[in-house]
Amino acid sequence: MRQNILALLDWLAAPERMKLRLFLEGNLIGVLTGFVIAAFRYLLVLSEEALPRLYAWLAAASPVWTTAWCAVLAAIGYVLYRIVRHEPMTSGSGIPQIEGILAGEMQMNWARVLAWKFIGAVLGIGAGLSLGREGPSVQLGACLGQGVGRMARRAPGEDRYLLTAGAGAGLAAAFNAPLAGVIFCLEELTKDFSPLVLMGAVAACVTATTVVQQFFGLAPVFHMGDVPVVETGSFFLLLVLLGLFVGFVSLAFNRSLTFSLDTFAHLKLPAWSKPMLPLFVSVAFGFALPQVLGGGSPLVDSLVVCDYGLTMLCVLFAAKFLFLMVCFGSGVPGGIFLPMLVLGALAGAIFARLAALAGVLPDGLAVDCMVFGMAAYFACVVKSPITGTVLIMEMTGSFAHMLPLILVSMTAYLVSELTGGRPVYEMLLSRSLAIRDRARARIRAGSRGRRA
C-alpha cells in the first residue's frame, strides 16, 4: 500500500502533470479554506446579531455597564496592538501583503499569520469596527495555499500558484462567489490569464464555496429581493450618469485612506493606545448610529426595506466613510472590501433619491441603483471592473443585469482613469514598501555612522 502511494506521488510529481497537481491541490486548499472561512463568518455573524442588542441594552442600563464595555474594548485594543506588533503581516486588509508576496517583495510565515489574522480580525470586526471580512479571508486562504505548497515541498513557482488559488478561495468563501474568486485571481492578484493560475483557482474557489454553502446555504450575501431588469438601451443615459456620480463620489476614498494611515502614524500617542481609538469611537456610533458598525451587510439589506430619506442616506454615507477611515488608519486587522461595497450601495441610493426628485427615475428602480452603485464604487477604487461586475452579480443574485453592471462599472472606472486614480491595493502596497525601504535606509545609515 505504501509503495503504491509513493509510486502515485512520484507519477504526479512529473513536470508534465503540473496542471493535474494544481487541480488536486487546489481542491484540498478549497476544502481547508472553506472550513476556516465558515468558522470566521459564523463568528462575525454572531457579532452582527449581538451588537445591536448589546447597545440597546446598554442605552437602558446603568452607565456602569457602558464603562465596563469600554474596558473590554480597551483590552481588545491592546490585544490587537500586540498581535500586529508580533506579526506585522496581519495588519490591515491582507490583500496588499498577498500582492507583495506574489511580486517577490514580501515574505510570510503562513502558520503564524493564519492564527493571528483569524483571532485579530474576529476581535476587531466582532467588536464593531467598520472593517470587512473579505481581506482577512483572502489572506487566510492564501496562508492555507502557501501551507499546502510548503508541506508538499513544491517549487517556488508552483507554490505561488497555490497561494493565489488559496487567496481566490478565501474571497469566494467569504461572499459565496466562486466565479468572482477566480476572476479576482486573474485580474487583480496576478494580472495574468494563465491556464496554470486558472486550474488551481477554479478548483479551490468552487470547492471552498461548496463547503461554505453547507453551513450558510445558497442564498446570496446581500438580500436585495426582486431586482427589476433594466433595459440598457432605454436607460443608457441614466446608467452613465449613475456611473459618473458614483465614480466622482469614490475619488476621495484612496486619498482618505492614505491620509488616515499617515495621521495615525504621526499621532503623539503611545503605540498601544492607537487601536483603542476606533473601538471607543464605535461606542458613540453604537448608541447614535448602530447601522455603521461592523462590515455593513445588514445596512445594505436595510436600504431595501427601510424608506430612508435623502438626508439620512447622506448621514449614513458620511458616518460609514469616516468610521471606516478611522478604523483602517489604526492598522488593526480588517479589510475595506465590504465597507467599500456598502458605500457604493449608499451612493447608489443617494443617486436614486436625487433622480426620483428630478422625475427621471421610474418607481421601483432604486434597488437597481444600489446594486449598480456597489459595482461602480468597486470598479473606481480597486480598478478591477470585471471582478466587481461578477462579484456583485453573485452577491446579489442579479444575474440578468450584466450589461448595465458593465456599463456603470466601466463609466466609473474611466472616471478614476481620467483623474489619475491608482488601484487601492497597489497604492497600499507601494506605501508599505516605501515605509520599509525608508526604515532599512535609516538602519544602514546608523550602522555606517557607528562604524565611522
Short mmCIF file of all heavy atoms in Angstrom, two decimals, residues 417-449:
data_model
loop_
_atom_site.label_atom_id
_atom_site.label_comp_id
_atom_site.label_asym_id
_atom_site.label_seq_id
_atom_site.Cartn_x
_atom_site.Cartn_y
_atom_site.Cartn_z
N GLU A 417 -9.66 56.56 -14.09
CA GLU A 417 -8.54 56.55 -15.03
C GLU A 417 -8.20 57.96 -15.51
O GLU A 417 -7.03 58.35 -15.56
CB GLU A 417 -8.89 55.66 -16.23
CG GLU A 417 -7.74 55.37 -17.17
CD GLU A 417 -6.69 54.44 -16.59
OE1 GLU A 417 -6.99 53.76 -15.58
OE2 GLU A 417 -5.58 54.41 -17.14
N LEU A 418 -9.22 58.73 -15.82
CA LEU A 418 -9.01 60.08 -16.35
C LEU A 418 -8.56 61.07 -15.28
O LEU A 418 -7.98 62.11 -15.61
CB LEU A 418 -10.28 60.58 -17.02
CG LEU A 418 -10.70 59.82 -18.29
CD1 LEU A 418 -12.05 60.31 -18.79
CD2 LEU A 418 -9.64 59.94 -19.38
N THR A 419 -8.81 60.76 -14.02
CA THR A 419 -8.39 61.64 -12.93
C THR A 419 -7.09 61.17 -12.28
O THR A 419 -6.67 61.72 -11.25
CB THR A 419 -9.49 61.75 -11.86
OG1 THR A 419 -9.84 60.43 -11.41
CG2 THR A 419 -10.72 62.45 -12.41
N GLY A 420 -6.45 60.16 -12.85
CA GLY A 420 -5.17 59.70 -12.34
C GLY A 420 -5.25 58.83 -11.11
O GLY A 420 -4.26 58.71 -10.36
N GLY A 421 -6.39 58.19 -10.87
CA GLY A 421 -6.54 57.33 -9.70
C GLY A 421 -5.73 56.06 -9.82
O GLY A 421 -5.56 55.51 -10.91
N ARG A 422 -5.21 55.60 -8.69
CA ARG A 422 -4.45 54.34 -8.66
C ARG A 422 -5.29 53.25 -8.01
O ARG A 422 -6.13 53.53 -7.13
CB ARG A 422 -3.16 54.51 -7.86
CG ARG A 422 -2.15 55.46 -8.48
CD ARG A 422 -0.91 55.52 -7.61
NE ARG A 422 -0.23 54.22 -7.53
CZ ARG A 422 0.74 53.94 -6.65
NH1 ARG A 422 1.14 54.85 -5.77
NH2 ARG A 422 1.31 52.76 -6.65
N PRO A 423 -5.09 51.99 -8.38
CA PRO A 423 -5.78 50.90 -7.69
C PRO A 423 -5.44 50.92 -6.20
O PRO A 423 -4.28 51.07 -5.83
CB PRO A 423 -5.23 49.63 -8.37
CG PRO A 423 -4.72 50.10 -9.69
CD PRO A 423 -4.24 51.50 -9.48
N VAL A 424 -6.45 50.76 -5.36
CA VAL A 424 -6.24 50.97 -3.93
C VAL A 424 -5.24 49.98 -3.34
O VAL A 424 -4.39 50.37 -2.52
CB VAL A 424 -7.60 50.88 -3.18
CG1 VAL A 424 -8.23 49.49 -3.29
CG2 VAL A 424 -7.42 51.28 -1.73
N TYR A 425 -5.28 48.72 -3.76
CA TYR A 425 -4.36 47.74 -3.17
C TYR A 425 -2.94 47.96 -3.66
O TYR A 425 -1.97 47.76 -2.91
CB TYR A 425 -4.84 46.33 -3.47
CG TYR A 425 -6.17 46.01 -2.82
CD1 TYR A 425 -7.27 45.65 -3.59
CD2 TYR A 425 -6.32 46.10 -1.44
CE1 TYR A 425 -8.50 45.39 -3.00
CE2 TYR A 425 -7.55 45.84 -0.85
CZ TYR A 425 -8.63 45.48 -1.62
OH TYR A 425 -9.84 45.23 -1.03
N GLU A 426 -2.78 48.40 -4.90
CA GLU A 426 -1.46 48.75 -5.39
C GLU A 426 -0.91 49.96 -4.64
O GLU A 426 0.28 50.00 -4.29
CB GLU A 426 -1.55 49.05 -6.89
CG GLU A 426 -0.23 49.49 -7.53
CD GLU A 426 -0.41 49.88 -8.98
OE1 GLU A 426 -0.97 49.06 -9.74
OE2 GLU A 426 0.01 51.00 -9.35
N MET A 427 -1.77 50.93 -4.36
CA MET A 427 -1.37 52.11 -3.61
C MET A 427 -0.92 51.74 -2.20
O MET A 427 0.11 52.21 -1.70
CB MET A 427 -2.53 53.10 -3.55
CG MET A 427 -2.24 54.38 -2.78
SD MET A 427 -3.78 55.18 -2.24
CE MET A 427 -4.28 54.07 -0.91
N LEU A 428 -1.70 50.88 -1.53
CA LEU A 428 -1.35 50.48 -0.17
C LEU A 428 -0.05 49.67 -0.14
O LEU A 428 0.77 49.82 0.77
CB LEU A 428 -2.49 49.66 0.44
CG LEU A 428 -3.80 50.42 0.71
CD1 LEU A 428 -4.90 49.46 1.14
CD2 LEU A 428 -3.58 51.49 1.77
N LEU A 429 0.15 48.82 -1.14
CA LEU A 429 1.39 48.05 -1.21
C LEU A 429 2.58 48.98 -1.42
O LEU A 429 3.62 48.84 -0.75
CB LEU A 429 1.31 47.03 -2.34
CG LEU A 429 2.60 46.24 -2.63
CD1 LEU A 429 3.05 45.45 -1.41
CD2 LEU A 429 2.39 45.32 -3.84
N SER A 430 2.47 49.93 -2.33
CA SER A 430 3.56 50.87 -2.59
C SER A 430 3.89 51.66 -1.33
O SER A 430 5.07 51.90 -1.02
CB SER A 430 3.19 51.83 -3.72
OG SER A 430 2.98 51.12 -4.92
N ARG A 431 2.88 52.05 -0.59
CA ARG A 431 3.12 52.79 0.65
C ARG A 431 3.87 51.94 1.66
O ARG A 431 4.82 52.40 2.31
CB ARG A 431 1.79 53.26 1.24
CG ARG A 431 1.93 54.10 2.50
CD ARG A 431 0.56 54.48 3.07
NE ARG A 431 0.73 55.30 4.25
CZ ARG A 431 0.94 54.83 5.46
NH1 ARG A 431 1.03 53.52 5.64
NH2 ARG A 431 1.09 55.64 6.51
N SER A 432 3.46 50.68 1.82
CA SER A 432 4.13 49.79 2.77
C SER A 432 5.58 49.56 2.38
O SER A 432 6.48 49.57 3.24
CB SER A 432 3.39 48.44 2.84
OG SER A 432 2.07 48.62 3.33
N LEU A 433 5.82 49.34 1.09
CA LEU A 433 7.19 49.11 0.64
C LEU A 433 8.05 50.36 0.82
O LEU A 433 9.24 50.26 1.17
CB LEU A 433 7.19 48.68 -0.83
CG LEU A 433 6.53 47.33 -1.13
CD1 LEU A 433 6.54 47.05 -2.62
CD2 LEU A 433 7.23 46.19 -0.37
N ALA A 434 7.47 51.54 0.58
CA ALA A 434 8.23 52.78 0.77
C ALA A 434 8.61 52.96 2.24
O ALA A 434 9.75 53.36 2.55
CB ALA A 434 7.41 53.97 0.27
N ILE A 435 7.68 52.68 3.14
CA ILE A 435 7.98 52.78 4.58
C ILE A 435 9.07 51.79 4.97
O ILE A 435 10.00 52.12 5.71
CB ILE A 435 6.70 52.54 5.40
CG1 ILE A 435 5.71 53.68 5.19
CG2 ILE A 435 7.03 52.39 6.88
CD1 ILE A 435 4.36 53.46 5.82
N ARG A 436 8.98 50.58 4.44
CA ARG A 436 10.01 49.57 4.73
C ARG A 436 11.37 50.01 4.22
O ARG A 436 12.39 49.87 4.92
CB ARG A 436 9.62 48.24 4.09
CG ARG A 436 10.56 47.09 4.40
CD ARG A 436 10.37 45.95 3.44
NE ARG A 436 10.73 46.32 2.07
CZ ARG A 436 10.59 45.51 1.02
NH1 ARG A 436 10.07 44.31 1.18
NH2 ARG A 436 10.97 45.91 -0.19
N ASP A 437 11.41 50.53 3.01
CA ASP A 437 12.69 50.95 2.43
C ASP A 437 13.30 52.12 3.21
O ASP A 437 14.52 52.17 3.40
CB ASP A 437 12.50 51.34 0.96
CG ASP A 437 12.15 50.15 0.08
OD1 ASP A 437 12.39 49.01 0.51
OD2 ASP A 437 11.62 50.37 -1.03
N ARG A 438 12.47 53.04 3.67
CA ARG A 438 12.99 54.16 4.46
C ARG A 438 13.55 53.66 5.79
O ARG A 438 14.60 54.14 6.26
CB ARG A 438 11.90 55.20 4.71
CG ARG A 438 11.56 56.03 3.47
CD ARG A 438 10.79 57.28 3.85
NE ARG A 438 9.51 56.97 4.47
CZ ARG A 438 8.37 56.84 3.79
NH1 ARG A 438 8.36 57.00 2.46
NH2 ARG A 438 7.24 56.58 4.42
N ALA A 439 12.87 52.70 6.40
CA ALA A 439 13.36 52.15 7.67
C ALA A 439 14.69 51.43 7.46
O ALA A 439 15.62 51.57 8.28
CB ALA A 439 12.31 51.19 8.24
N ARG A 440 14.81 50.68 6.36
CA ARG A 440 16.08 50.00 6.08
C ARG A 440 17.20 51.00 5.82
O ARG A 440 18.35 50.79 6.25
CB ARG A 440 15.91 49.07 4.89
CG ARG A 440 15.06 47.83 5.19
CD ARG A 440 14.90 46.98 3.93
NE ARG A 440 14.18 45.75 4.22
CZ ARG A 440 13.83 44.85 3.30
NH1 ARG A 440 14.16 45.07 2.02
NH2 ARG A 440 13.19 43.75 3.64
N ALA A 441 16.86 52.10 5.13
CA ALA A 441 17.87 53.12 4.85
C ALA A 441 18.36 53.76 6.14
O ALA A 441 19.57 54.03 6.29
CB ALA A 441 17.30 54.17 3.92
N ARG A 442 17.45 54.00 7.09
CA ARG A 442 17.87 54.58 8.37
C ARG A 442 18.76 53.62 9.14
O ARG A 442 19.75 54.04 9.77
CB ARG A 442 16.63 54.93 9.20
CG ARG A 442 15.90 56.18 8.72
CD ARG A 442 14.92 56.67 9.77
NE ARG A 442 13.88 55.69 10.06
CZ ARG A 442 12.71 55.63 9.43
NH1 ARG A 442 12.43 56.50 8.47
NH2 ARG A 442 11.82 54.72 9.75
N ILE A 443 18.44 52.33 9.07
CA ILE A 443 19.27 51.34 9.78
C ILE A 443 20.66 51.29 9.18
O ILE A 443 21.67 51.25 9.89
CB ILE A 443 18.59 49.95 9.72
CG1 ILE A 443 17.28 49.97 10.54
CG2 ILE A 443 19.53 48.87 10.23
CD1 ILE A 443 16.47 48.70 10.39
N ARG A 444 20.73 51.31 7.83
CA ARG A 444 22.03 51.28 7.17
C ARG A 444 22.83 52.55 7.49
O ARG A 444 24.04 52.49 7.73
CB ARG A 444 21.87 51.15 5.66
CG ARG A 444 21.42 49.76 5.21
CD ARG A 444 21.63 49.58 3.71
NE ARG A 444 20.82 50.53 2.95
CZ ARG A 444 19.59 50.25 2.51
NH1 ARG A 444 19.04 49.07 2.78
NH2 ARG A 444 18.90 51.14 1.81
N ALA A 445 22.15 53.69 7.51
CA ALA A 445 22.85 54.95 7.84
C ALA A 445 23.37 54.92 9.27
O ALA A 445 24.48 55.38 9.55
CB ALA A 445 21.90 56.13 7.63
N GLY A 446 22.57 54.37 10.18
CA GLY A 446 23.02 54.25 11.56
C GLY A 446 24.21 53.34 11.70
O GLY A 446 25.14 53.60 12.48
N SER A 447 24.20 52.22 10.95
CA SER A 447 25.33 51.28 11.00
C SER A 447 26.59 51.93 10.48
O SER A 447 27.68 51.76 11.06
CB SER A 447 24.99 50.03 10.19
OG SER A 447 23.85 49.38 10.70
N ARG A 448 26.49 52.69 9.39
CA ARG A 448 27.67 53.36 8.86
C ARG A 448 28.20 54.41 9.84
O ARG A 448 29.41 54.58 9.99
CB ARG A 448 27.33 54.02 7.51
CG ARG A 448 27.17 53.04 6.37
CD ARG A 448 27.23 53.77 5.03
NE ARG A 448 26.11 54.69 4.90
CZ ARG A 448 24.95 54.40 4.34
NH1 ARG A 448 24.75 53.16 3.88
NH2 ARG A 448 23.99 55.30 4.24
N GLY A 449 27.26 55.10 10.53
CA GLY A 449 27.67 56.10 11.50
C GLY A 449 28.41 55.49 12.66
O GLY A 449 29.42 56.03 13.14
#
